[in-house]
Amino acid sequence: MTQTSPPGWHPDPGYTGFGPRQERWWDGTQWTDHLRVPPAAARSRRIRIGAGITAAVVVLAAVGGGVYLLNDDSGGSNASASSPSASPSPGPDRQRGGPGDSGGNGGDRGDGGSSESPEQDQPEIEKGYATDLASGISIPVPDGWKGESGMGAGVTTGSYACPGDTDEKCVRGGVFSAPAEALKLTTKTAKATAEKDIKTNAEASYGEKIYGGITSHEELKSEAVTVAGQQGYRVRWKVVTKNGDDGYVESLAFPSPLAKDMLVVVRSGFDINSKAPALSVLDDMTKGIKAASGGGSGGGTDA
């Protein structure tokens, strides 16, 4: 490693192989905590959801209280609720080596690096939040919960073996986000998107494989709500299952702070039992969702 490597954005040396690789800022001496989606992945401040990104976000497609996290399409390992962050903070090894280190901590960009500042209009991962880099939002992580940041975000608590498949991990409470496009939702408004997604969310969270199926449901909420400064809509159900715990599921949709024509879906689910978090925690988390640091304001709040 030479000391002449200029500051700039370089492939994140902490990349785990899960999802698209992000870039980390090298300040000329060490790796910093600044992360961004490579500029090639964005157009007009909107993250393009291509086949590769969609495959990564599909890991979060089945979400909710008792939900397990699916494998991605790349053949990677199962991403359980306790899996490490897709974008870990730089550790000692990464602080020693730079972009041109022959030890493999980074690798050449091939373009001579970049002199632009890390303080630019790209989402960043913030302490105390799980950041969805594709959607440009950050979800608060309550004390004792686990947060996952990346191309899609997740906040979970209370991991346990799923009642219908003990090889899979379920959680007592979970809140997950992804762009609507990545979840193959083509509806154009927040209301239509939430109303369409709630059934899929419920079946994925408490469906046949892990809870024996849903025998009935009751709609608890169907209302407009402001999230991260955007006018959105949420639908909440209480579901009764054949096996295991019953649960609450919610589908929340709103325009991304990155671009108002990109809809974000936040799927939530909480078990109903003494070990599960109170439903009020979900309301607090929804109120705490914000535009990711460096992600911009989206230029509007149209529903």
Side-chain angles (χ1 to χ4, degrees), residues 280-298:
S280 60
V281 176
L282 175 57
D283 292 326
D284 291 340
M285 292 174 70
T286 298
K287 293 176 182 178
I289 295 174
K290 67 178 186 177
S293 298
S297 62

Side-chain angles (χ1 to χ4, degrees), residues 186-205:
T186 58
T187 40
K188 301 302 182 182
T189 67
K191 180 179 180 181
T193 300
E195 290 175 339
K196 183 174 182 179
D197 186 67
I198 188 65
K199 182 179 180 180
T200 302
N201 181 8
E203 291 176 350
S205 300

Side-chain angles (χ1 to χ4, degrees), residues 63-100:
V63 298
V67 69
Y68 61 94
L69 303 186
L70 302 173
N71 288 328
D72 65 14
D73 293 338
S74 63
S77 61
N78 191 46
S80 71
S82 59
S83 62
S85 172
S87 304
S89 297
D93 289 343
R94 279 171 276 151
Q95 291 174 353
R96 288 197 299 268

Side-chain angles (χ1 to χ4, degrees), residues 172-260:
R172 296 295 181 191
V175 178
F176 300 82
S177 70
E181 184 178 350
L183 300 177
K184 299 182 180 180
L185 292 165
T186 58
T187 40
K188 301 302 182 182
T189 67
K191 180 179 180 181
T193 300
E195 290 175 339
K196 183 174 182 179
D197 186 67
I198 188 65
K199 182 179 180 180
T200 302
N201 181 8
E203 291 176 350
S205 300
Y206 291 96
E208 194 72 30
K209 181 178 180 181
I210 49 178
Y211 283 87
I214 297 172
T215 59
S216 64
H217 78 271
E218 175 187 358
E219 184 174 278
L220 303 179
K221 288 182 181 291
S222 182
E223 62 185 9
V225 61
T226 300
V227 185
Q230 311 297 312
Q231 296 303 306
Y233 202 88
R234 66 178 170 188
V235 179
R236 181 182 295 174
W237 285 3
K238 177 181 179 181
V239 298
V240 177
T241 68
K242 292 181 181 177
N243 303 317
D245 297 321
D246 299 334
Y248 299 108
V249 292
E250 179 174 290
S251 290
L252 168 67
F254 56 95
S256 166
L258 287 177
K260 64 181 181 180

